[in-house]
């Protein structure tokens, strides 16, 4: 009798899957996570030693290509580089630096050669104004990962900064006090520890420190890292105060009580012990896979500037169109069922008329009434079958008219049909309502140009303007997001001309 393999069963009927790939100096740590349709999640982790591929010209590329050939790197793949190989800077960008690439700013800051870094930059909103957080990694390492993962589509690859992934895991393990806005976190680890500085939920700076004997926290190393972050917060980030520090070693670790009290007195800081979180390579690989299961794109994806722009096949709203097609098919089935019912009614009316004719007891009033009922039912069937709006033409052309970055939230189509012989003076018109939204870099006033371009494209389209010449936008809403960007929402209405 064959042995039951639950993991294989879940993998065969997978609903979601993702792979976390952590690149350290001498290993590749791969975590494969699979979620079944019933919600079960199975994760497997393996460690690939790069020394096994030392005879190859490039061991990293050879190892990744071998993993792909064996089917051990299912997409999407969320890549990560050991935090010791990541550079991060948070600073105010001057007028002279606005046109300088992020990689050159970091290179000048840390003194590396030009073109040797791959970097990405996002705004960080602090009390003193808007700063920029720049994260960079070695261009050589990033290109090695891309070359080894060449067989995977670009929109299935991400390279987020590991410090941000670590913060999300540490925050999930221990939430900061509600009144703390500027917070420090101390995370121990066997090879290295990390001290993080956050403002709100955003990571703005971090420092690393070496552990003490037997892998325990070194008070001197932790204090030096915290002093560096405190100095950076006050001098460079212009933060007035730091609310407190979470020492994530566990609330029952009595051995660290003396360290917490010592740090609190030496740094004049509220230091509290919190639920433990340890920085280790296996855990980081699993965190990357967990991030990939969310199916979201990190705002600091370092692969973004190294890959070609996504085309229509990646940006096309498949789920929305699939739902629209399912609704159209359902309406078609209902119309067919209604037409069948009407045919049965017509057959019964004809049989009743034939019976009355045979009895020679014809009542003109009854015949006139039945004639009107039959005529109305015929008009209903004819309008539903012959005069409906063919929505598939509009759904097929709509993605081609959308500007980059715009997303369709909802599409509503109204098909105004005449359902009786009497024509109302205020008959409703057929129309389409398109609810859209897009993210803009900052909260500027007024409607973004992309919204006007979208309305102009609809008016220039023969498909839309031919059936719905009255096209206008309304209900423009601008919502400021936490990261300093803004979300713009607008409803575009396309209606028929007057008298149509």
């Amino acid at each position: 009798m064959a042995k039951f393999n639950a993991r294989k069963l879940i993998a065969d009927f997978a609903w979601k899957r993702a792979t976390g790939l952590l690149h350290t100096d001498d290993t590749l740590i791969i975590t494969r996570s699979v979620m079944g349709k019933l919600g079960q999640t199975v994760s497997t982790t393996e460690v690939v030693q790069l020394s096994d591929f030392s005879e190859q010209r490039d061991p990293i590329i050879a190892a990744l290509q071998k993993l792909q050939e064996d089917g051990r790197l299912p997409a999407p793949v969320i890549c990560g580089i050991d935090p010791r190989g990541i550079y991060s800077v948070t600073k105010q960008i001057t007028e002279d630096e606005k046109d300088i690439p992020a990689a050159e700013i970091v290179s000048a800051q840390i003194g590396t050669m030009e073109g040797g870094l791959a970097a990405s930059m996002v705004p960080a909103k602090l009390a003193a104004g808007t700063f920029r957080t720049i994260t960079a990694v070695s261009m050589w390492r990033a290109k090695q990962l891309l070359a080894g993962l060449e067989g995977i589509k670009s929109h299935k690859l991400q390279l987020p900064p590991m410090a941000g992934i670590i913060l999300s895991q540490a925050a999930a393990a221990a939430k900061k006090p509600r009144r703390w806005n500027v917070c420090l976190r101390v995370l121990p680890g066997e090879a290295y520890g990390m001290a993080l500085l956050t403002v709100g939920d955003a990571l703005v700076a971090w420092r690393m420190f070496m552990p003490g004997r037997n892998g325990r926290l070194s008070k001197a190393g932790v204090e030096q890292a915290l002093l560096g972050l405190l100095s950076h917060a006050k001098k460079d980030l212009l933060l007035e105060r730091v609310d407190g520090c979470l020492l994530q070693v566990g609330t029952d670790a009595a051995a660290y009580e003396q360290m917490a009290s010592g740090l609190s007195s030496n740094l004049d800081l509220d230091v509290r012990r919190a639920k433990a979180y340890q920085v280790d390579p296996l855990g980081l690989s699993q965190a990357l896979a967990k991030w990939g299961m969310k199916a979201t794109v990190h705002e600091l994806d370092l692969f973004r500037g190294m890959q070609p722009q996504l085309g229509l096949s990646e940006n096309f709203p498949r789920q929305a169109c699939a739902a629209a097609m399912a609704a159209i098919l359902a309406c078609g089935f209902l119309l067919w069922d209604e037409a069948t019912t009407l045919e049965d009614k017509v057959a019964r009316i004809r049989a009743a008329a034939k019976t009355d004719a045979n009895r020679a007891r014809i009542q003109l009033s009854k015949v006139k009434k039945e004639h009107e009922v039959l005529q109305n039912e015929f008009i209903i069937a004819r309008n539903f079958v012959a005069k409906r709006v063919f929505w598939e033409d509009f759904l097929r052309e709509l993605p081609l008219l959308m500007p980059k970055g715009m997303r369709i939230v909802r599409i509503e189509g109204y098909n105004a049909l005449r359902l009786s012989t009497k024509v109302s003076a205020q008959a409703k018109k057929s129309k389409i309502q398109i609810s859209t939204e897009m993210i803009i870099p900052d909260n500027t006033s007024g409607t973004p140009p992309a919204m006007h371009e979208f309305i102009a494209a609809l008016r220039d389209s023969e498909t839309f303007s031919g059936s719905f010449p009255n096209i206008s936008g309304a209900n423009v809403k601008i919502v400021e997001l936490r990261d300093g960007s803004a979300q713009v929402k607008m409803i575009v209405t396309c209606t028929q001309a007057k008298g149509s």
Side-chain angles (χ1 to χ4, degrees):
M1 183 176 178
K3 185 177 179 181
F4 176 74
N5 192 333
R7 294 189 176 185
K8 184 178 184 303
L9 178 65
I10 295 176
D12 291 341
F13 296 92
W15 184 253
K16 287 183 180 180
R17 66 179 68 220
T19 301
L21 171 64
L22 179 66
H23 172 32
T24 64
D25 290 336
D26 53 0
T27 61
L28 293 175
I29 305 175
I30 301 101
T31 297
R32 293 175 287 272
S33 293
V34 176
M35 177 183 291
K37 294 184 179 179
L38 299 180
Q40 314 97 318
T41 300
V42 176
S43 297
T44 58
T45 302
E46 69 170 312
V47 179
V48 177
Q49 300 293 336
L50 295 178
S51 58
D52 297 340
F53 299 86
S54 57
E55 297 180 357
Q56 302 293 329
R57 180 178 179 181
D58 195 315
I60 297 175
I61 297 177
L64 291 174
Q65 291 177 344
K66 176 62 176 175
L67 290 169
Q68 286 189 81
E69 291 174 1
D70 297 342
R72 291 147 64 189
L73 283 178
V77 179
I78 312 301
C79 303
I81 295 178
D82 192 305
R84 288 172 289 188
I86 299 177
Y87 311 98
S88 180
V89 175
T90 300
K91 60 175 296 185
Q92 281 185 313
I93 303 299
T94 62
E95 291 293 333
D96 297 335
E97 295 175 328
K98 281 186 176 181
D99 298 329
I100 300 177
E104 293 185 16
I105 296 176
V106 180
S107 297
Q109 190 89 6
I110 63 177
T112 61
M113 65 177 183
E114 184 176 349
L117 297 177
S120 184
M121 179 170 59
V122 294
K125 192 172 183 180
L126 306 182
T130 301
F131 286 65
R132 298 289 186 271
T133 298
I134 307 173
T135 301
V137 297
S138 167
M139 179 67 77
W140 173 73
R141 280 197 175 189
K143 286 185 175 180
Q144 278 187 316
L145 291 174
L146 276 180
L149 300 171
E150 187 177 4
I152 301 176
K153 294 182 178 180
S154 60
H155 67 282
K156 297 288 186 179
L157 287 175
Q158 288 189 54
L159 180 59
M162 281 307 309
I165 301 296
I166 292 172
L167 173 61
S168 64
Q169 297 297 305
K175 294 184 178 180
K176 66 179 182 180
R178 185 173 300 177
R179 295 185 178 181
W180 286 11
N181 182 41
V182 182
C183 173
L184 292 167
R185 290 179 183 269
V186 176
L187 311 177
E190 293 184 2
Y192 56 87
M194 297 184 68
L196 311 178
L197 173 63
T198 61
V199 177
D201 296 327
L203 177 65
V204 295
W206 49 279
R207 297 288 187 272
M208 306 185 73
F209 57 86
M210 299 303 294
R213 296 179 180 179
N214 301 324
R216 297 175 60 86
L217 280 179
S218 168
K219 180 182 177 182
V222 172
E223 187 171 349
Q224 184 177 2
L226 292 179
L227 281 172
L229 287 176
L230 289 172
S231 176
H232 178 58
K234 293 180 180 179
K235 294 181 179 179
D236 302 327
L237 305 181
L238 307 179
L239 297 173
E240 295 182 357
R241 62 188 299 270
V242 176
D243 296 313
C245 174
L246 292 180
L247 195 64
Q248 292 195 230
V249 295
T251 55
D252 56 348
Y256 290 108
E257 177 64 30
Q258 185 177 358
M259 178 184 292
S261 60
L263 291 173
S264 180
S265 60
N266 292 344
L267 302 177
D268 191 18
L269 193 66
D270 184 4
V271 180
R272 304 181 186 180
R273 289 179 297 163
K275 188 175 180 180
Y277 177 82
Q278 188 169 10
V279 180
D280 68 281
L282 294 179
L284 297 183
S285 175
Q286 294 168 3
L288 289 169
K290 188 175 181 180
W291 177 270
M293 296 291 282
K294 298 179 181 178
T296 55
V297 179
H298 198 284
E299 59 183 357
L300 272 174
D301 182 13
L302 297 172
F303 277 157
R304 189 178 303 166
M306 304 173 61
Q307 296 174 307
Q309 295 294 326
L310 301 181
L312 177 62
S313 60
E314 291 82 9
N315 289 325
F316 188 76
R318 296 182 179 86
Q319 294 182 351
C321 290
M325 290 301 298
I328 292 172
L329 293 175
C331 291
F333 173 77
L334 292 176
L335 293 175
W336 173 82
D337 184 66
E338 184 66 21
T340 304
T341 303
L342 292 176
E343 289 179 357
D344 294 339
K345 288 183 178 181
V346 171
R348 289 197 298 269
I349 292 172
R350 286 178 177 174
K354 187 176 180 180
T355 302
D356 290 339
N358 292 334
R359 292 176 180 177
R361 295 178 182 177
I362 300 175
Q363 298 179 6
L364 295 178
S365 60
K366 184 177 180 180
V367 172
K368 184 178 181 180
K369 183 178 180 180
E370 293 292 346
H371 182 269
E372 291 179 355
V373 172
L374 181 60
Q375 187 177 14
N376 287 335
E377 290 176 345
F378 176 77
I379 290 174
I380 293 173
R382 184 184 64 181
N383 287 341
F384 268 108
V385 174
K387 294 187 177 182
R388 68 185 186 275
V389 177
F390 291 90
W391 302 108
E392 59 268 27
D393 296 336
F394 302 96
L395 294 175
R396 189 179 298 111
E397 184 165 352
L398 183 59
L400 305 177
L401 306 176
M402 292 168 54
K404 182 179 178 181
M406 177 176 288
R407 186 168 72 93
I408 293 179
V409 179
R410 186 175 182 179
I411 302 176
E412 296 181 0
Y414 300 90
N415 196 172
L417 299 176
R418 188 163 63 93
L419 304 182
S420 69
T421 56
K422 298 179 181 181
V423 180
S424 173
Q426 295 181 349
K428 295 183 179 178
K429 300 177 182 178
S430 299
K431 65 178 180 179
I432 299 177
Q433 282 190 342
I434 307 170
S435 301
T436 64
E437 68 178 21
M438 68 183 300
I439 303 299
I440 58 177
D442 54 3
N443 187 9
T444 57
S445 61
T447 306
M451 294 295 189
H452 296 294
E453 294 173 3
F454 179 51
I455 295 175
L458 291 175
R459 290 172 177 169
D460 295 336
S461 169
E462 295 182 0
T463 302
F464 279 84
S465 61
S467 301
F468 304 97
N470 296 331
I471 301 174
S472 61
N475 294 341
V476 179
K477 297 181 180 179
I478 302 177
V479 181
E480 184 178 0
L481 304 180
R482 291 184 177 179
D483 59 358
S485 62
Q487 183 183 61
V488 183
K489 299 182 179 181
M490 182 180 68
I491 298 177
V492 179
T493 304
C494 310
T495 59
Q496 291 178 332
K498 187 175 182 181
S500 299

